[in-house]
Amino acid sequence: MDLKTATALRRLRLVSAPEAISFLLLLVCSVLKRTTEFNAVPVMGAVHGALFVLYVVFWADAWNRARWPLGTAALYFVLSVLPAGGFFAERRLRREAEDAVIASRVRKEGVVNA
């Protein structure tokens, strides 16, 4: 994995958890708006919207650079529209990055120590 691909995956991973948190907070604010006088939906909506747009831009860049199969790319996109899906995306992306580092070290050393 080259540096640009690793960077694209890292950006996607770093924005996935905040995007999921903002989605959950937006849902809480929506409930509070209807049950109390508290209305933070316009603010949280804007925050979540900006984070979602960042997620989609970083997702497209990661898909292009990592050359994911269509199923993997679709999975990461579907995870972005589920309320807690960003947490699962972050965890899978972290594992993918760790596996890439291990594979890179193995290629560099040329030997697998099992």
Side-chain angles (χ1 to χ4, degrees), residues 25-46:
L25 286 174
L26 180 60
L27 292 175
V28 169
C29 289
S30 295
V31 170
L32 289 175
K33 177 183 176 185
R34 283 151 179 70
T35 58
T36 67
E37 296 295 318
F38 183 75
N39 184 9
V41 171
V43 173
M44 280 312 303

